[in-house]
Amino acid sequence: LRQAEAMMRKYDIKFADVEAQKIEKDDLQKGFTGETRNSKWVWSLAWAASYLTSTMPYKKGKEIIFCDVKEDVQVALLMHDYLVGVTENISSKYRGKFDSVFSLREQRQSFKIGMVGMIAKRAKEIKKEREDEITSASVASSGKDLIVIKQSLIKDKFNLSYQKARATYISDSSAYYKGREEGKSVGLNRQVHGSKDKM
């Protein structure tokens, strides 16, 4: 998206030209992750993927589903698969402290929560930076905020509503902060590889 915006500036393509292709409710669809673990960290990564792809996630039963236009939904599914995989891979290698009062399982869980929290924070910052640029361009050209319009369409079509997330309990603060540091190194703009690539 950043590259597309740079190309628009380079070739003086006005945002109004892009806005001519309006999104309709019929263009919106669901993408099913197949992910049914009822874990806060998996759900947090769904939000991280949604921040990076401008999609909206929700749960039906336990399964996480993304909503948006087809292309964005496909990227969100791949991004979520990648983020879950990299989190599991890195946290499984965390050895913790042998003299800790917490079990290795508790330490890894705290590490994972910290890592996921940092990934989500970074994804949200990327989303804000991108949306600020898009919003200023769209408001200047049309007086409308396209991001808000798109999100409203998605919420309306799929009848989505959200509640504020509850705080997550962290048993080992040391492992949590090590996870936060690890979360800073996870690539959020690299080529996505995962089990859903062939799909």
Side-chain angles (χ1 to χ4, degrees):
L1 186 57
R2 285 193 184 111
Q3 288 173 343
E5 289 164 359
M7 293 291 280
M8 286 171 69
R9 286 193 294 274
K10 181 176 178 181
Y11 293 104
D12 198 29
I13 299 171
K14 303 297 181 196
F15 204 91
D17 299 333
V18 179
E19 189 189 9
Q21 298 182 24
K22 297 226 180 258
I23 297 172
E24 302 290 340
K25 275 191 184 182
D26 291 342
D27 300 325
L28 302 172
Q29 61 180 254
K30 299 175 183 178
F32 298 84
T33 61
E35 178 60 73
T36 57
R37 281 177 288 183
N38 193 21
S39 298
K40 278 190 178 181
W41 69 271
V42 176
W43 178 237
S44 294
L45 290 178
W47 277 104
S50 81
Y51 295 149
L52 295 168
T53 58
S54 297
T55 56
M56 301 197 78
Y58 79 100
K59 287 184 185 178
K60 184 172 184 180
K62 291 182 179 179
E63 184 172 15
I64 296 171
I65 300 165
F66 289 97
C67 301
D68 207 307
V69 295
K70 180 180 179 180
E71 295 80 4
D72 290 344
V73 164
Q74 288 175 339
V75 175
L77 291 172
L78 287 168
M79 181 58 74
H80 186 251
D81 191 46
Y82 160 71
L83 292 175
V84 168
V86 78
T87 300
E88 287 178 320
N89 185 31
I90 293 172
S91 62
S92 70
K93 294 175 183 171
Y94 181 67
R95 296 291 168 236
K97 294 181 187 174
F98 292 109
D99 61 345
S100 175
V101 296
F102 304 105
S103 68
L104 180 57
R105 185 177 179 279
E106 289 173 315
Q107 291 179 68
R108 281 187 178 157
Q109 185 64 20
S110 296
F111 178 89
K112 190 182 287 183
I113 292 167
M115 184 177 169
V116 166
M118 180 54 70
I119 291 170
K121 178 179 183 288
R122 290 175 56 219
K124 197 170 190 177
E125 288 167 356
I126 291 170
K127 174 183 187 276
K128 183 177 185 323
E129 176 189 312
R130 182 182 65 221
E131 289 185 355
D132 285 349
E133 204 167 323
I134 292 173
T135 298
S136 63
S138 65
V139 171
S141 67
S142 67
K144 295 177 182 176
D145 186 333
L146 296 181
I147 303 296
V148 172
I149 292 169
K150 180 182 169 188
Q151 289 179 347
S152 296
L153 276 174
I154 295 170
K155 286 180 181 177
D156 188 42
K157 173 159 183 174
F158 299 109
N159 195 27
L160 304 181
S161 61
Y162 298 96
Q163 298 174 353
K164 189 171 180 176
R166 284 180 248 155
T168 304
Y169 173 74
I170 300 155
S171 57
D172 186 341
S173 59
S174 173
Y176 170 82
Y177 286 110
K178 284 177 181 169
R180 298 277 293 182
E181 284 303 308
E182 195 65 47
K184 291 177 183 177
S185 65
V186 174
L188 299 182
N189 57 0
R190 69 178 63 171
Q191 177 66 41
V192 177
H193 292 292
S195 60
K196 296 186 179 70
D197 273 0
K198 290 181 182 177
M199 281 176 44

